[in-house]
Amino acid sequence: MSDFCALTISEAKEKLENKEFTSIELTNAYLNRIKKHDKDINAFISVTEELALQMAKSADEKIQKGEKGDLLGIPLAIKDLINVKGIPSTCASKILTNFVSPFDATVTKKVKDSGAVILGKLNMDEFAMGSSNETSYYGNVKNPWDKERVPGGSSGGAAAALPAQFAAGTLGSDTGGSIRQPAALCGCVGLKPTYGRVSRFGMIAFASSLDQIGPFAKDVKDAALLLQVISGKDSFDATSADIPVDNYYDSLEQDIKGMKIGVPKEYFIDGLDPEVEKSIHNAIDVYKSLGAEIIDISLPNTKYAVPTYYVIAPSEASSNLARFDGVRYGYRSENSHDLHEMYFNTKSEGFGAEVKRRIMIGTFCLSSGYYDAYYLKAQKVRTLIKKDFDDAFQQCDVIATPTSPTTAFKFGEKMSDPMSMYLSDIFTISANLTGIPGMSIPCGFSGNNLPIGLQLLGKSFDELTLLRAAHQFQINTGFHKQFPSL
Ligand code: GLN
């Protein structure tokens, strides 16, 4: 039964349709595996066993009747900042410990409508702020490849759940790299769609001009399928784009002869782990052998991406997080004498250290007298970074880079030095600042058997080209087929 858990979504779908097993059996296989191994990994904040079995039962009834659904009977898990009706959404924060969502996020509704089974809610950095999953109120997620190492963040649980074989696919969010960086560190596929491709309605916001929801999967085909299901215009999210959704899944097989792949010189810098660098060069060679044209490009403002992000993201976070004040949601400090003291105590007790740091930085950047020097300036630099990409995409269809400068690091290694932690997103942040889609796919292993990720960046709303490039790499290599033993 445990073998069921290694199946990709497309493999499991076929077997469900052929009645080789039922969705209840598949769901139970995952639930048993989570029970047995999640004590060590800590990928889940809540496991929704009862809901999952109910959903599996109803999927089985539909399969019996010959009904179809893109994800009919497929067990998924969801990052704990995306609402599922009747289930807690904690954002891995003490301040939301007792918050139960009264409604489904649009992506939740979409996966439910396509027949998926929801196994539970996944651990993450508190309010999605972090790159190592060490800021969760619910404890660290461990990397299934080496439990002394971080899974990356902030979607640490969503990434770890795939090599751990705890779900067929997961949904996470990416504000500065939180899908791609943990996907790289855990050795799975992670896709951040174009800003506007996927509705964020019902996702608890971190930085609204940067946040996107996206899938994690065992292979590119599954990522294409999940993206297909969750994409599209939503009247509940004014930033969702009214642009037709391509048929990602059915167009994957086209070859990539003549595809132009840009390699930016600014991404091969000091501090890039030589083993990562070597794997990326090997991946580029694979693309050459598949007939792609490799082009040297330049993204000159790359060095400003991290500082720009760390003005914009905390500024927007300080505004978004103002609503957690002990009045309407979640935790409220007791024993306060007046309203002001209640606000003060609730936030002091309810938020962790990293979240407080971001709120303070953001409040400072937005305060009168500093707004122009920080926030406005950062927005101007953001435009320059966008221009770099517009120019680059005149020359190429896709950009290939490392996803993360290093493989998974050890717990505690970067926690005392926020700057070194922030730099782990040096290659991912620009896609959020510019809105373009990006994905990470497994492209190698280090000498100590840790996964390495290749990042592919594409033109806005051209996820299809990214997925095609990623799929061709996968069917010609085998890195995504390896799993750690837990
Ligand atoms: N690691 C980055 C941060 O800490 C990105 C987080 C994210 O994408 N949610 O802000």
Side-chain angles (χ1 to χ4, degrees):
M1 291 272 268
S2 187
D3 291 351
F4 293 180
C5 301
L7 298 172
T8 63
I9 296 177
S10 50
E11 290 164 346
K13 256 181 82 170
E14 201 182 301
K15 291 185 191 294
L16 284 167
E17 276 166 25
N18 295 339
K19 317 240 172 24
E20 288 178 42
F21 49 70
T22 63
S23 176
I24 295 242
E25 285 168 329
L26 182 63
T27 302
N28 270 320
Y30 278 117
L31 289 169
N32 289 336
R33 198 172 160 86
I34 295 166
K35 270 184 209 144
K36 189 161 167 212
H37 293 292
D38 199 40
K39 303 187 278 291
D40 299 331
I41 303 293
N42 199 27
F44 283 84
I45 291 180
S46 48
V47 177
T48 53
E49 179 163 351
E50 208 178 308
L51 172 70
L53 291 171
Q54 256 171 33
M55 295 173 100
K57 184 163 172 271
S58 120
D60 282 334
E61 287 163 7
K62 290 190 178 144
I63 294 169
Q64 275 305 329
K65 285 192 228 145
E67 287 179 35
K68 298 261 185 265
D70 282 337
L71 299 170
L72 192 54
I74 299 296
L76 303 180
I78 296 182
K79 188 176 181 179
D80 210 20
L81 49 51
I82 298 172
N83 289 333
V84 178
K85 187 176 176 180
I87 304 296
S89 281
T90 69
C91 262
S93 179
K94 182 178 175 186
I95 212 157
L96 282 176
T97 33
N98 52 13
F99 173 68
V100 175
S101 174
F103 69 103
D104 278 332
T106 296
V107 293
T108 305
K109 186 172 179 308
K110 285 183 176 242
V111 297
K112 280 186 175 175
D113 289 349
S114 65
V117 168
I118 296 177
L119 293 167
K121 302 294 295 294
L122 296 159
N123 205 346
M124 52 183 279
D125 278 296
E126 186 180 4
F127 281 101
M129 297 174 189
S131 307
S132 63
N133 219 119
E134 289 170 286
T135 72
S136 168
Y137 180 63
Y138 295 89
N140 299 341
V141 176
K142 303 202 181 99
N143 191 315
W145 290 93
D146 177 348
K147 297 186 197 95
E148 286 175 13
R149 291 175 189 270
V150 306
S154 65
S155 312
L162 292 169
Q165 299 174 38
F166 290 161
T170 62
L171 296 182
S173 67
D174 189 312
T175 303
S178 279
I179 290 177
R180 292 159 287 154
Q181 184 257 17
L185 272 44
C186 288
C188 57
V189 175
L191 168 62
K192 181 202 89 81
T194 310
Y195 186 80
R197 181 70 300 174
V198 176
S199 164
R200 286 105 36 95
F201 176 71
M203 169 195 161
I204 299 168
F206 163 10
S208 305
S209 77
L210 304 162
D211 298 337
Q212 257 299 284
I213 294 174
F216 287 88
K218 291 171 189 156
D219 70 4
V220 175
K221 249 181 160 173
D222 286 3
L225 181 62
L226 289 167
L227 182 66
Q228 193 89 54
V229 169
I230 63 174
S231 290
K233 172 73 185 159
D234 176 19
S235 57
F236 291 122
D237 177 357
T239 65
S240 71
D242 199 2
I243 293 177
V245 179
D246 286 318
N247 195 335
Y248 305 121
Y249 192 73
D250 292 340
S251 314
L252 281 180
E253 303 299 334
Q254 280 170 44
D255 73 42
I256 55 162
K257 282 199 187 69
M259 187 183 278
K260 294 192 172 109
I261 299 185
V263 179
K265 61 172 188 282
E266 292 81 3
Y267 281 56
F268 294 84
I269 48 165
D270 284 353
L272 177 60
D273 178 333
E275 285 186 304
V276 174
E277 182 164 5
K278 189 162 178 291
S279 287
I280 302 303
H281 285 305
N282 290 343
I284 292 167
D285 287 342
V286 170
Y287 277 116
K288 263 189 216 156
S289 72
L290 295 175
E293 193 184 329
I294 308 301
I295 297 173
D296 290 329
I297 58 164
S298 173
L299 297 164
N301 291 298
T302 296
K303 57 181 177 296
Y304 301 120
V306 171
T308 303
Y309 172 87
Y310 278 98
V311 171
I312 294 173
S315 298
E316 295 181 8
S318 74
S319 163
N320 277 326
L321 270 56
R323 71 190 69 161
F324 303 107
D325 56 6
V327 176
R328 284 162 294 182
Y329 306 95
Y331 176 77
R332 176 186 297 176
S333 173
E334 291 180 7
N335 306 324
S336 304
H337 298 101
D338 57 36
L339 183 66
H340 192 262
E341 199 177 303
M342 191 281 287
Y343 286 154
F344 184 87
N345 291 340
T346 294
K347 291 183 185 229
S348 308
E349 294 160 23
F351 288 133
E354 183 61 28
V355 175
K356 286 179 192 162
R357 175 168 23 237
R358 307 276 180 117
I359 293 173
M360 287 188 278
I361 294 172
T363 307
F364 175 79
C365 292
L366 294 178
S367 56
S368 88
Y370 294 97
Y371 180 92
D372 288 0
Y374 293 99
Y375 190 72
L376 199 65
K377 184 72 156 269
Q379 291 289 22
K380 289 181 179 166
V381 180
R382 183 179 191 173
T383 305
L384 295 177
I385 295 171
K386 171 86 170 61
K387 195 174 169 302
D388 281 359
F389 280 87
D390 290 346
D391 293 347
F393 283 125
Q394 300 285 332
Q395 302 170 61
C396 61
D397 307 304
V398 165
I399 295 174
T401 79
T403 306
S404 160
T406 66
T407 52
F409 43 92
K410 291 210 163 142
F411 288 106
E413 218 175 279
K414 302 194 181 193
M415 275 306 265
S416 54
D417 179 2
M419 270 313 288
S420 82
M421 186 72 87
Y422 295 172
L423 286 169
S424 45
D425 295 310
I426 187 157
F427 302 140
T428 51
I429 273 174
S430 294
N432 303 80
L433 291 170
T434 57
I436 62 172
M439 67 190 294
S440 182
I441 55 172
C443 74
F445 286 88
S446 65
N448 51 355
N449 205 34
L450 294 170
I452 295 170
L454 170 73
Q455 177 174 240
L456 297 169
L457 301 169
K459 296 177 188 170
S460 285
F461 298 100
D462 191 14
E463 282 80 359
L464 181 56
T465 303
L466 272 190
L467 286 161
R468 276 177 52 216
H471 180 63
Q472 289 306 318
F473 182 81
Q474 281 204 334
I475 57 177
N476 288 286
T477 57
F479 302 109
H480 63 295
K481 293 207 173 116
Q482 302 190 33
F483 290 102
S485 60
L486 294 186

